[in-house]
Amino acid sequence: MQLVRGLHNLRPQHRGCVATIGNFDGVHRGHQAILARLRERARELGVPSCVVLFEPQPREYFAPDTAPARLARLRDKIELLQAEGIDRVLCLAFNQRLSQLSAAEFVRTLLVDGLGVQHLEVGDDFRFGCDRLGDFAFLSEAGARLGFSVEAAHTVEIDAVRVSSTQVRLALATADFPLAARLLGRPFSIAGRVLHGQKLARQLGWPTANVQLKRRRVPLAGVYLVSTEVGGVRYGGAANIGVRPTVAGDGRPHLEIHLLGFQGDLYGQRLAVQFHQKLRDEQRFASLEALKAAVDADVAAAQALWQAHSKSLK
């Protein structure tokens, strides 16, 4: 799969494709249905499939403090889109210039002059342009004039729930990981590189891997039973994700994992952490002794639950 960053990097060989546009946060089963139709149209027309993404996502640009927590970072999305068999991703920097394009300018600049789109797949709620005129009807009329076809995605429902990134976040907020997995089509996970931390957990007797999050907000907070694969072996663990209120921190979310039975050095490795069950909310403790007692209990609970979980998989 080819990644193109910015309109300025589009070349003549990139013209002629079928495309879809959106955030694709989480690449859930609703997105997967759009991508399946995109691949089908690409085969029919004999051209590449292209997904157009924005970075940051528009709501993150306009209202960074209230934008929804990300389900997937850009790197995760690109990997998921590659797994879906997409030929090309065009990542556009969502900035002042792009945000001020009218719907008509967006169509002409990106779809016609930039990509030479032959067919466009869009979500049923897709809107664009600084004038907010860009919707399915606008695209259909523009396509009829400018030579590309447009198809609207149909709503995908699972268990009578409309599949959306918002629904995935709601499932995660209530720790309904089975529902989140059904909406996503895979278990929910967070991936990141292991960095050096304060080494406080090691002093408490439970060394942790500090997984880099690189995001302002996360869709989870608390202590969880998790698992991750290291060297071909899946380990259970107890993880805290949050702002670490008991110790002096930077106010940003952190993910710390104690892997059950693991011995070794994880620094620099990239881990994909799956979440299975919530153990408790994150809380502030009056002392490090109280924090240690809570962590002891968390690890004991994770050990018992992971043992039961592992048996159910055999």
Side-chain angles (χ1 to χ4, degrees):
M1 187 183 76
Q2 183 182 25
L3 172 62
V4 180
R5 287 183 175 269
L7 280 172
H8 62 285
N9 282 320
L10 286 175
R11 299 292 181 263
Q13 63 266 29
H14 297 139
R15 289 181 52 80
C17 65
V18 297
T20 186
I21 308 170
N23 290 327
F24 287 86
D25 190 20
V27 192
H28 54 61
R29 289 178 67 177
H31 296 143
Q32 292 163 28
I34 296 175
L35 298 175
R37 286 192 293 276
L38 192 71
R39 293 193 305 269
E40 182 180 351
R41 297 295 182 270
R43 285 193 297 268
E44 291 172 354
L45 296 173
V47 294
S49 58
C50 178
V51 172
V52 180
L53 301 174
F54 304 105
E55 190 66 27
Q57 295 174 175
R59 288 183 66 182
E60 293 171 340
Y61 175 81
F62 289 114
D65 293 330
T66 58
R70 284 262 188 135
L71 298 174
R73 295 187 303 158
L74 177 61
R75 173 173 176 166
D76 305 320
K77 279 196 276 191
I78 290 171
E79 290 178 353
L80 290 166
L81 291 169
Q82 184 173 21
E84 288 292 321
I86 298 304
D87 298 311
R88 183 179 301 142
V89 169
L90 171 61
C91 182
L92 299 179
F94 198 88
N95 50 27
Q96 184 176 18
R97 177 177 175 273
L98 186 62
S99 70
Q100 291 178 345
L101 288 180
S102 68
E105 290 169 332
F106 185 92
V107 169
R108 173 59 68 179
T109 301
L110 173 65
L111 302 182
V112 178
D113 295 341
L115 289 172
V117 165
Q118 297 183 24
H119 176 80
L120 186 67
E121 292 278 337
V122 292
D124 52 8
D125 57 354
F126 177 66
R127 296 189 70 88
F128 65 97
C130 66
D131 47 18
R132 300 298 289 166
L133 293 178
D135 58 10
F136 179 75
F138 181 94
L139 286 168
S140 296
E141 186 277 330
R145 285 188 294 105
L146 299 171
F148 60 88
S149 56
V150 184
E151 183 176 4
H154 299 294
T155 296
V156 175
E157 291 189 356
I158 295 175
D159 301 335
V161 175
R162 179 182 182 273
V163 179
S164 68
S165 300
T166 298
Q167 287 298 329
V168 176
R169 292 187 195 97
L170 289 173
L172 295 175
T174 58
D176 191 344
F177 295 111
L179 175 58
R182 290 197 296 274
L183 297 173
L184 289 167
R186 64 186 183 279
F188 176 74
S189 66
I190 292 178
R193 197 165 301 282
V194 178
L195 303 179
H196 288 275
Q198 295 177 313
K199 307 293 194 297
L200 176 62
R202 188 179 303 275
Q203 298 173 34
L204 298 177
W206 304 108
T208 59
N210 298 279
V211 178
Q212 186 179 35
L213 290 176
K214 278 191 177 179
R215 58 185 89 189
R216 181 188 295 262
R217 299 177 64 197
V218 288
L220 296 171
V223 180
Y224 297 86
L225 171 69
V226 300
S227 67
T228 190
E229 187 173 300
V230 181
V233 178
R234 181 155 291 275
Y235 292 88
N240 183 88
I241 185 166
V243 295
R244 303 183 297 190
T246 304
V247 298
D250 53 15
R252 295 182 300 172
H254 293 263
L255 173 57
E256 298 175 291
I257 310 159
H258 173 74
L259 296 184
L260 303 171
F262 177 79
Q263 299 290 329
D265 185 351
L266 292 171
Y267 293 120
Q269 294 193 42
R270 189 168 186 266
L271 300 182
V273 182
Q274 287 187 16
F275 291 77
H276 300 288
Q277 186 172 332
K278 189 169 186 177
L279 303 180
R280 62 173 174 85
D281 291 332
E282 186 179 44
Q283 62 190 99
R284 181 183 179 88
F285 294 96
S287 65
L288 288 181
E289 290 76 13
L291 173 60
K292 183 180 187 310
V295 174
D296 290 347
D298 295 336
V299 173
Q303 287 173 329
L305 289 168
W306 181 247
Q307 187 175 21
H309 181 79
S310 299
K311 287 181 180 178
S312 69
L313 296 178
K314 294 180 180 178

